[in-house]
Structure formats: C-alpha cells, structure tokens
C-alpha cells in the first residue's frame, strides 16, 4: 500500500480546500445578492485526507468563502502534529509555507510551478527520463527559501513532470 512509500512518516495526507455550496437566498439579507455572489457562499473547508485509510483526518471551517488556502494549511499543521507527509496542489505553493512545514518537523510533496526561480546545488541522478536534484528555491537572497528541497523530474512521453519535496534522502 501507500504506507510503503514513506514508512518513516506517521501519516500521509492529501490536503485541499473547498468552497461550500451557495446557501439558499431565502432570507432578506441574502435576497439582496445575485445568485452565486460571494456573500451567499457557505464558507470554506480545509480537509486532510489520510491516504492510508482513505478517511478524513481533519476538517477546519472558515466562514470567509474568499479566504486563501495557505493560512488554512498553517492551522492544519498546528492541529496535525509532526512527522507527517502532506501532498498538496499548487494552490499551496509558497516558499514560506514550505519552510514552515520543514520547521514544524513535517514533510511535503507538491508539483513545481512554472517560472519558479531556483538554483541547483547538486544532482544525484541525471538521465533523459529521470532527474533528481537538490535545489535552493529563489535566486535572490530576498526571496530565497530557508531550506533546500529536492526537485524530482520524470519524463513520460513528451511531458516532463516536476515535483518538489523536503524529503532530502532519496531512499
């Protein structure tokens, strides 16, 4: 199972945010807003799904439907504890978030955003279909991430998929 992918982690969790469906516009306060307006939405949920058990591990609610998922993830980190591996999409992509995950004693895997600046510090593998590098995120001191990460690039057909993780040991 999936636990074999990270036997050292106390859990592997997919993390995502979602906007709750619009509430009925039956009250006078909501009737003033057009259908689908931000004011009629039911807030946001931040969820962590345990990829070993396929069960919801944690749910956080924010009444602000327009809220960004990054602050929600900081709250999830506090609740979830340490030694967890989090898998998230590019909506969570931020150097400060990556540093916070590392500083909290946790781990992450995410896709690389296009046009992300980085500096290659070393390569352990470099073939036509697989490349494994240690990199520093951010080219300039003012925007550089605190911790190095691994950039794993896998070519499937004509497409190169690029992933970042703070799991530096390739084993």
């Amino acid at each position: 199972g999936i636990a074999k992918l990270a036997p050292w982690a106390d859990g592997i969790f997919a993390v995502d945010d979602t906007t709750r469906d619009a509430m009925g516009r039956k009250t006078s306060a909501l009737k003033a807003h057009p259908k689908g307006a931000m004011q009629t939405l039911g807030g946001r949920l931040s969820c962590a799904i345990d990829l070993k058990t396929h069960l919801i591990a944690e749910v956080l609610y924010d009444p602000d439907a327009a809220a960004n998922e990054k602050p929600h993830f900081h709250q999830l980190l506090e609740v979830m504890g340490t030694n967890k591996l989090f898998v998230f999409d590019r909506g969570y992509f931020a150097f400060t978030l990556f540093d916070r995950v590392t500083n909290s004693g946790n781990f992450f895997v995410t896709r690389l955003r296009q046009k992300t600046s980085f500096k290659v510090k070393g390569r352990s593998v470099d073939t036509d279909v697989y490349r494994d590098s240690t990199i520093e995120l951010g080219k300039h001191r003012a925007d550089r991430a605190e911790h190095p990460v691994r950039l794993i690039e896998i070519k499937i057909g004509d497409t190169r998929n690029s992933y970042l993780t703070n799991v530096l040991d390739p084993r």
Side-chain angles (χ1 to χ4, degrees), residues 2 5-15 49 51 73 80 82-88 101 105-110 165-167:
I2 198 161
L5 296 175
W8 42 265
D10 292 337
I12 304 172
F13 301 91
V15 177
I49 307 295
L51 294 179
F73 184 73
M80 301 285 296
T82 61
N83 205 41
K84 309 293 190 293
L85 175 62
F86 295 101
V87 180
F88 45 79
V101 172
N106 288 293
F107 305 92
F108 71 87
V109 174
T110 191
T165 182
N166 64 340
V167 179

Side-chain angles (χ1 to χ4, degrees), residues 125-131 153-160:
V125 179
D126 190 358
T127 70
D128 290 341
V129 295
Y130 178 73
R131 196 178 314 162
E153 300 168 278
I154 302 166
K155 187 174 180 187
I156 300 171
D158 293 333
T159 305
R160 185 172 295 276

Side-chain angles (χ1 to χ4, degrees), residues 34-156:
K35 185 177 181 179
M38 200 56 82
Q39 296 86 341
T40 67
L41 298 177
R44 289 185 71 81
L45 296 176
S46 296
C47 302
I49 307 295
D50 186 325
L51 294 179
K52 292 179 184 178
T53 65
H54 304 261
L55 298 175
I56 295 173
E58 192 63 53
V59 177
L60 299 176
Y61 172 71
D62 186 339
D64 182 2
N68 187 287
E69 57 248 317
K70 292 177 189 88
H72 295 158
F73 184 73
H74 296 306
Q75 292 174 322
L76 277 173
L77 268 180
E78 291 174 18
V79 172
M80 301 285 296
T82 61
N83 205 41
K84 309 293 190 293
L85 175 62
F86 295 101
V87 180
F88 45 79
D89 64 27
R90 287 178 278 208
Y92 294 88
F93 199 99
F95 296 176
T96 54
L97 187 139
F98 301 156
D99 287 335
R100 187 157 184 185
V101 172
T102 303
N103 290 335
S104 71
N106 288 293
F107 305 92
F108 71 87
V109 174
T110 191
R111 299 271 313 265
L112 178 68
R113 265 194 179 165
Q114 288 184 354
K115 300 183 182 180
T116 299
S117 66
F118 62 87
K119 183 177 178 182
V120 176
K121 299 302 284 179
R123 277 215 171 99
S124 59
V125 179
D126 190 358
T127 70
D128 290 341
V129 295
Y130 178 73
R131 196 178 314 162
D132 192 336
S133 309
T134 301
I135 65 170
E136 285 182 347
L137 291 168
K139 286 190 176 180
H140 307 288
R141 182 173 287 162
D143 69 353
R144 190 170 295 145
E146 180 182 344
H147 300 283
V149 294
R150 276 176 68 207
L151 172 60
I152 300 164
E153 300 168 278
I154 302 166
K155 187 174 180 187
I156 300 171

